[in-house]
Amino acid sequence: MIALYLFIALCCAALAFGIKQRWASVLAVLAFLSTQLGLNFYAWGHLNQNDSIYFSFDALGFIFTSVLSIISLPVFYNSYRMLEHQTGEWADKRKASLYTAALIILVAVLTSVYFADNYGILWVLIEVSTISLAALIYFYRTKLALEATWKYIFLSSIGISLVLISLLFLNVAMHRESGASLHISAVLENAKNLDPLWLKVAFALMVTGLSTKMGVFPFHTVGIDATMVAPHPVNVLMSTALKNAGFVAVFRLYQAVMETSIAEWASHVLLLVGLISIALAATQTQRTQNLNRMLGYSGLEHVGLALVGLSLGQIGFYAAVFHLVLHSFAKAGLFLQMGQVNRIYDHHFPEKNAAYFHSNPIGSLVVLLGYIGIMALPPSGLFSTELMIFSQLAAQKQWWVLVLVLFLMTIVLLTLGRQVMNMLYGIKAQIKTDVAVVKVDALEIIAQITILGLMIYIGFNPPVFLVDLLNQACVR
Amino acid sequence: MLLLLAFGLTLVYMGIADRVRRLIDMLIIQGVLLFGMAIVQLHHIDVLNLVIILLETLVVKAVVLPLFLLRVKKKNEISRVSTQAVSGFSKGLWMAVIIAFSFTAGHLLHESSDAIQAKYFSVGIASILTGIMLIVKHDKVLTHLMGYLVLENGIFLLTLAVGGEMPIIVNGAILLDIVLAVLVLGLIINRLSTSFGATALSHLSELKD
């Protein structure tokens, strides 16, 4: 089924790219979104079943695919509005068609990453995501976009090379007992027989290499630089679905590692990476004035916290996966609204965006809600997952970690809060008279509020089926 | 063994070379040597995998990519690997450390696991570290790109060291990865030259906090 899905996605991308007309792009997107939702329902009906030898519809994959499918709808709509705004009457057809095709491919490969049951295939798909993202980051064709694209491709290629070396070592770790299979389920089944030394090296390289995708230390800068210049719908995917894809890949290997004698070592590695990421987020947000960049650092903080959660064992697994689900909704709502801000003003800096409440009151409420969401302040759903992680840290008596994390997260909360308030109300409550009150696209606002509402609702009242899925995902 | 020794010598030369042209020449030689080593090591390989390896080493690594790099070099008038002079002694010292470290690591890991071939593993690690050194010690983006290729050559040697064949789809993807990355990055270098008027890393620092 996933092979068919990828084939249809490729056809849709070819249609958008080949026929450089608005109708072709719209048709391609509609066909692709139908396929995406179709695959989601198919996966729901075939949960815990294999799909060819390379893919498997497991709970973890299903959860993140569902998140991506939900987010994809407003992302494509927002992209449509952006392309209209950017290109007038779809004037720059080449640029718009390349953007649409690359976006379709990106969503398709990320979906496939979630369901991949083979490390080799997973590596190939992550590689493809880099190329399609490069085309999207370079959308505005500016000097900054060029610089970001160069850095993104180059560092991602290095990261992907490290992942490839990790797979080679994983192969060595498996040799003795179970042959040279790179199947994720085979690695998990034979975890106890894996050579600990080679597994250690493989795990460390996997975490380092995939940090370009997860957006955590040490390769976190590439994603943040890209966030500064990429179109906002692309930022949504980079800050949510892409991070989730990197997390899924690491989580699958970590589950196998947890069955071995190096489990404690691996959890220390994740704890360290998580803590450094949160610390970097806290220090770097102080240095930047750019709200997009700040939101990028907020992503660094949240994935860092998810890694801290992972290091805490079973309950931590649950909290980490759930945290990333809710973070995806919160960040998506906020970045989609930032796209609207970008269309109202042609710049990003909050000082110049002062008095946004005057220009766009409903949009401002979305920004406020999004800020509350990503900062995990009640009623944000993230409050419940952070509470789970903190409780677990307290239960394990890791007091110094708990205090450090709380301290660093408070710094991010205050710094980001200052910038958001500055953007909404203005430095001296001044009202920019040169910016007219704009007419807001109701559909975009409805989508943003729905996504943020979902984050609040499922955070505090998670449906039974979601809890079951999360439990299944964490005990595989 | 001779092929490995020759490969090691190309690494040392690349580590201390000052001219971009010399680095490209070494990349051509490395492509040919890798093909030779693959033939020696993977004698039981199936035809399709052999074709892919032939494509990857002889065609892509020894011909297509060097030609492309030469074009980029010529178009952007890049002759030296770095804008700042790096002392030959310092480079030589780095290479000595890399080689010593690689052979020690290879030897130690071979002792703990007989699943790897120490010689290939050591030269593979040396190649990866040399690639990283080329990236870290030089400030021109073209040199970085060549460092990336040396790193990829090191990964190829590691696949020979662990003796396991990757599935054909992964081998194909590795080939595609190298070609696409180098072509796309090469094109970006051309654009960087047009937009920034230079290809040194110091000019790529506008994206910051």
Side-chain angles (χ1 to χ4, degrees):
Chain A
M1 179 51 77
I2 293 189
L4 179 66
Y5 162 78
L6 284 172
F7 176 73
I8 294 173
L10 210 59
C11 291
C12 293
L15 173 69
F17 187 68
I19 304 171
K20 294 175 174 47
Q21 299 291 336
R22 185 185 349 206
W23 67 263
S25 290
V26 172
L27 186 66
V29 167
L30 289 177
F32 173 69
L33 285 177
S34 313
T35 313
Q36 178 73 21
L37 294 176
L39 179 80
N40 224 136
F41 284 114
Y42 182 87
W44 174 242
H46 295 77
L47 217 51
N48 298 321
Q49 289 179 23
N50 287 335
D51 181 72
S52 80
I53 53 167
Y54 293 122
F55 298 98
S56 165
F57 294 125
D58 69 338
L60 185 68
F62 178 76
I63 291 169
F64 283 120
T65 301
S66 304
V67 172
L68 177 55
S69 299
I70 292 169
I71 289 172
S72 294
L73 300 171
V75 161
F76 276 102
Y77 182 68
N78 199 281
S79 297
Y80 176 78
R81 295 305 309 264
M82 181 199 75
L83 290 172
E84 259 191 338
H85 178 80
Q86 269 287 314
T87 60
E89 293 177 358
W90 212 264
D92 195 345
K93 290 170 182 163
R94 192 161 166 261
K95 205 168 147 185
S97 57
L98 176 64
Y99 174 90
T100 310
L103 200 61
I104 289 173
I105 289 175
L106 180 64
V107 173
V109 292
L110 290 179
T111 302
S112 309
V113 165
Y114 299 146
F115 287 128
D117 189 32
N118 181 291
Y119 286 110
I121 293 297
L122 194 141
W123 180 84
V124 173
L125 292 165
I126 286 179
E127 166 63 25
V128 178
S129 76
T130 304
I131 302 293
S132 55
L133 254 174
L136 294 167
I137 294 168
Y138 190 49
F139 176 75
Y140 288 120
R141 308 287 192 270
T142 57
K143 275 171 79 173
L144 283 181
L146 188 62
E147 186 183 331
T149 310
W150 162 266
K151 287 178 178 171
Y152 190 81
I153 300 184
F154 189 74
L155 287 178
S156 289
S157 296
I158 302 279
I160 287 165
S161 300
L162 293 181
V163 177
L164 185 61
I165 301 172
S166 149
L167 297 189
L168 287 173
F169 290 164
L170 187 62
N171 221 358
V172 178
M174 289 193 70
H175 252 305
R176 291 178 178 170
E177 301 294 336
S178 52
S181 166
L182 279 174
H183 286 290
I184 291 170
S185 43
V187 174
L188 202 58
E189 278 164 25
N190 295 289
K192 286 192 169 66
N193 303 317
L194 295 176
D195 184 322
L197 175 68
W198 291 101
L199 190 60
K200 261 188 187 179
V201 184
F203 183 74
L205 286 171
M206 178 83 85
V207 173
T208 311
L210 284 174
S211 67
T212 54
K213 302 297 166 192
M214 284 192 289
V216 290
F217 175 80
F219 286 131
H220 59 282
T221 51
V222 274
I224 290 167
D225 283 346
T227 305
M228 203 170 153
V229 295
H232 283 89
V234 178
N235 280 343
V236 172
L237 293 180
M238 275 202 296
S239 313
T240 60
L242 185 69
K243 286 184 193 293
N244 297 344
F247 176 86
V248 165
V250 168
F251 184 54
R252 293 199 190 284
L253 185 59
Y254 185 59
Q255 280 182 313
V257 169
M258 286 301 281
E259 305 288 319
T260 68
S261 56
I262 65 160
E264 198 181 346
W265 172 86
S267 67
H268 287 155
V269 169
L270 292 183
L271 180 66
L272 192 67
V273 173
L275 284 179
I276 294 175
S277 300
I278 299 171
L280 282 169
T283 50
Q284 295 303 106
T285 42
Q286 303 288 319
R287 298 177 56 189
T288 187
Q289 294 287 306
N290 185 300
L291 200 53
N292 280 342
R293 227 176 147 80
M294 279 198 173
L295 293 180
Y297 285 123
S298 153
L300 175 66
E301 175 208 8
H302 282 287
V303 183
L305 187 65
L307 292 186
V308 171
L310 269 195
S311 72
L312 299 174
Q314 210 65 44
I315 298 173
F317 288 6
Y318 182 98
V321 175
F322 199 16
H323 187 78
L324 287 182
V325 169
L326 298 174
H327 167 256
S328 300
F329 290 136
K331 201 50 80 55
L334 200 49
F335 261 127
L336 287 168
Q337 176 53 223
M338 290 306 293
Q340 244 178 1
V341 175
N342 201 39
R343 288 205 299 278
I344 295 171
Y345 307 95
D346 277 338
H347 41 69
H348 304 285
F349 296 99
E351 294 99 323
K352 294 174 186 172
N353 285 338
Y356 187 51
F357 250 118
H358 174 73
S359 307
N360 184 1
I362 305 174
S364 301
L365 282 176
V366 174
V367 173
L368 203 55
L369 198 57
Y371 168 71
I372 289 170
I374 59 166
M375 287 299 108
L377 301 169
S380 166
L382 287 162
F383 177 76
S384 62
T385 53
E386 288 194 0
L387 203 61
M388 276 185 229
I389 294 172
F390 297 151
S391 316
Q392 200 55 30
L393 279 171
Q396 295 187 11
K397 297 194 174 10
Q398 299 201 39
W399 300 110
W400 69 270
V401 178
L402 179 60
V403 170
L404 185 65
V405 169
L406 282 171
F407 172 70
L408 294 170
M409 289 178 72
T410 308
I411 293 177
V412 179
L413 183 142
L414 294 175
T415 314
L416 195 57
R418 192 179 65 219
Q419 291 289 21
V420 168
M421 294 308 146
N422 189 20
M423 170 191 168
L424 296 179
Y425 300 106
I427 300 164
K428 292 176 184 170
Q430 80 238 30
I431 293 171
K432 284 176 73 75
T433 47
D434 55 329
V435 177
V437 176
V438 293
K439 195 167 179 256
V440 180
D441 184 331
L443 211 54
E444 278 187 88
I445 289 286
I446 289 169
Q448 291 157 17
I449 291 176
T450 307
I451 286 177
L452 290 171
L454 204 58
M455 177 265 301
I456 293 170
Y457 177 75
I458 64 172
F460 283 98
N461 187 23
V464 178
F465 75 89
L466 180 62
V467 175
D468 284 345
L469 283 170
L470 285 166
N471 280 323
Q472 279 181 48
C474 298
V475 296
R476 184 182 169 182
Chain B
M1 185 64 190
L2 267 178
L3 294 173
L4 265 177
L5 193 66
F7 192 93
L9 288 175
T10 62
L11 289 180
V12 175
Y13 190 74
M14 288 183 102
I16 57 173
D18 240 358
R19 300 256 163 200
V20 171
R21 179 64 215 231
R22 297 286 88 79
L23 290 192
I24 296 175
D25 291 343
M26 290 302 113
L27 282 174
I28 296 172
I29 296 172
Q30 286 190 353
V32 177
L33 291 172
L34 286 178
F35 177 70
M37 285 185 258
I39 292 295
V40 172
Q41 278 296 107
L42 305 170
H43 33 79
H44 54 276
I45 193 171
D46 65 64
V47 182
L48 203 55
N49 258 325
L50 184 70
V51 171
I52 288 184
I53 285 170
L54 178 78
L55 265 175
E56 185 179 344
T57 52
L58 272 188
V59 180
V60 173
K61 290 191 174 187
V63 180
V64 177
L65 295 182
L67 279 178
F68 179 71
L69 291 174
L70 275 175
R71 227 178 110 185
V72 174
K73 171 194 170 300
K74 199 172 167 186
K75 189 172 176 191
N76 300 294
E77 295 170 353
I78 306 166
S79 57
R80 291 191 172 271
V81 292
S82 187
T83 52
Q84 294 158 341
V86 183
S87 86
F89 176 74
S90 151
K91 288 178 182 177
L93 198 65
W94 270 107
M95 284 314 297
V97 171
I98 284 173
I99 287 169
F101 172 81
S102 307
F103 277 85
T104 311
H107 178 71
L108 290 175
L109 286 170
H110 180 62
E111 275 187 351
S112 70
S113 167
D114 52 5
I116 61 158
Q117 295 195 43
K119 286 174 288 186
Y120 283 93
F121 188 86
S122 302
V123 180
I125 294 287
S127 184
I128 289 170
L129 293 178
T130 307
I132 292 172
M133 192 199 81
L134 285 173
I135 293 167
V136 173
K137 295 280 282 180
H138 300 98
D139 65 352
K140 285 200 174 167
V141 286
L142 185 61
T143 315
H144 288 194
L145 190 49
M146 288 188 282
Y148 170 69
L149 281 174
V150 177
L151 189 148
E152 286 286 346
N153 287 346
I155 294 175
F156 188 90
L157 281 174
L158 283 189
T159 59
L160 296 180
V162 300
E165 284 175 38
M166 283 294 197
I168 194 145
I169 193 159
V170 178
N171 265 337
I174 293 170
L175 175 61
L176 195 69
D177 166 36
I178 298 167
V179 174
L180 275 179
V182 174
L183 293 185
V184 171
L185 289 170
L187 291 174
I188 292 179
I189 290 175
N190 289 341
R191 293 248 171 169
L192 287 173
S193 182
T194 319
S195 300
F196 292 86
T199 55
L201 208 64
S202 53
H203 293 87
L204 298 180
S205 55
E206 288 190 32
L207 277 174
K208 55 189 171 196
D209 291 324

